[in-house]
């Protein structure tokens, strides 16, 4: 059976347990909201196909467990990721402070050219906010990554978060992308360039979990 996409991307969701990784993923892929919280055990993934630059992009999104006892397991998936969506809960100062720990893990286990977007999740519960958007933006600027706040419940910036990360990994062949590519540092590893030839990864597309 011929594949129905041009490029396969592998993205990883990281962050403390309870920050809303699975809820964000279900909203993006299944367009539904999880009414109850069930902690992810180990690792799971979902697939979604989008279009960028006239090409069909198959996104394989790995959803990881945030509990410390699973860190050894989930760290094995860091090197497979081309992009990482790093989440914290805007109503949890602890999850925000732990972002630095997660970035340390990324530096240790992931490829040096992995792309990352920082997400302040659950921005719909503004009354219980402990982390301001300004704090999130400052932290993202410190590490040189993109930032935005999201809400799976209200479907705010969910699609934008995943698309922004995909665009960081894939260089779309238009004038804006060309200018962005020219501005990259000389020592930065290249992203994936869309071309007339399709790219394929030797990874099974069947949904699985550990």
């Amino acid at each position: 059976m011929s594949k129905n996409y041009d490029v396969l991307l592998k993205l990883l969701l990281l962050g403390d347990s309870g920050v809303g990784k699975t809820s964000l993923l279900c909203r993006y892929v299944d367009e539904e909201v999880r009414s109850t919280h069930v902690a992810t055990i180990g690792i799971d993934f979902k697939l979604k196909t989008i279009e960028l630059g006239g090409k069909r992009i198959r996104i394989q999104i790995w959803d990881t467990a945030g509990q410390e006892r699973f860190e050894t397991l989930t760290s094995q998936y860091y090197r497979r990721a081309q992009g990482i969506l790093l989440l914290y809960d805007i109503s949890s100062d602890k999850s925000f402070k732990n972002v630095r720990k997660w970035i340390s893990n990324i530096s240790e286990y992931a490829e040096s050219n992995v792309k990352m977007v920082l997400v302040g999740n659950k921005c719909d519960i503004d009354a219980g906010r402990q982390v301001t958007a300004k704090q999130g933006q400052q932290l993202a600027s410190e590490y040189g990554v993109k930032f935005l706040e999201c809400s799976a419940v209200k479907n705010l910036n969910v699609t934008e978060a995943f698309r922004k990360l995909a665009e960081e990994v894939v260089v779309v062949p238009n004038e804006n992308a060309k200018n962005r590519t020219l501005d990259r540092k000389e020592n930065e590893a290249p992203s994936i360039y869309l071309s007339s030839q399709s790219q394929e990864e030797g990874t099974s597309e069947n949904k699985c979990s550990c």
Side-chain angles (χ1 to χ4, degrees):
M1 183 180 297
S2 61
K3 60 185 179 62
N4 59 350
Y5 60 89
D6 301 300
V7 179
L8 176 64
L9 298 186
K10 298 178 182 178
L11 307 183
L12 190 65
L13 293 176
L14 289 179
D16 283 7
S17 178
V19 298
K21 299 184 295 295
T22 301
S23 295
L24 200 72
L25 180 58
C26 288
R27 167 62 87 172
Y28 179 58
V29 176
D30 303 324
E31 298 183 358
E32 66 178 20
V33 179
R34 288 283 181 92
S35 57
T36 58
H37 171 66
V38 179
T40 300
I41 299 176
I43 195 161
D44 198 357
F45 79 82
K46 288 180 178 290
L47 296 168
K48 187 178 180 70
T49 302
I50 64 172
E51 185 171 305
L52 281 177
K55 297 291 184 179
R56 291 178 62 81
I57 312 297
R58 173 64 58 86
I59 306 179
Q60 186 184 83
I61 311 168
W62 293 89
D63 180 18
T64 65
Q67 301 98 316
E68 289 187 3
R69 67 180 184 272
F70 292 117
E71 285 187 10
T72 301
L73 172 64
T74 57
S75 66
Q76 300 174 27
Y77 290 83
Y78 282 59
R79 292 200 181 279
R80 303 182 185 185
Q82 295 158 297
I84 294 175
L85 211 61
L86 178 54
L87 278 69
Y88 67 87
D89 179 352
I90 64 122
S91 65
S92 168
D93 184 60
K94 180 181 178 181
S95 71
F96 179 68
K97 291 178 178 177
N98 282 342
V99 165
R100 295 186 185 276
K101 180 202 74 173
W102 289 107
I103 292 179
S104 177
N105 289 346
I106 292 169
S107 298
E108 181 176 358
Y109 299 114
E111 298 293 339
S112 60
N113 63 327
V114 69
K115 308 302 179 185
M116 184 168 64
V117 171
L118 180 63
V119 171
N121 199 29
K122 303 185 183 180
C123 66
D124 56 286
I125 53 175
D126 199 64
R129 178 186 288 271
Q130 296 182 7
V131 184
T132 66
K134 182 178 180 180
Q135 288 175 295
Q137 183 60 69
Q138 287 175 337
L139 185 60
S141 298
E142 179 181 337
Y143 289 100
V145 300
K146 298 292 180 64
F147 167 78
L148 70 170
E149 291 191 338
C150 296
S151 167
V153 173
K154 292 190 175 181
N155 197 21
L156 297 174
N157 288 332
V158 176
T159 298
E160 289 80 359
F162 286 96
R163 189 175 184 86
K164 187 183 291 289
L165 183 56
E167 289 174 344
E168 284 291 297
V169 179
V170 178
V171 176
V172 182
N174 59 33
E175 193 61 31
N176 291 333
K178 179 180 178 182
N179 293 336
R180 186 174 73 242
T181 302
L182 292 175
D183 289 337
R184 293 181 183 274
K185 297 179 181 179
E186 293 182 359
N187 62 351
E188 184 177 351
S191 299
I192 296 173
Y193 288 80
L194 293 182
S195 66
S196 58
Q197 295 180 336
S198 62
Q199 302 180 32
E200 185 173 6
E201 297 281 352
T203 303
S204 171
E205 295 179 30
N206 296 326
K207 187 177 185 299
C208 65
S209 61
C210 299

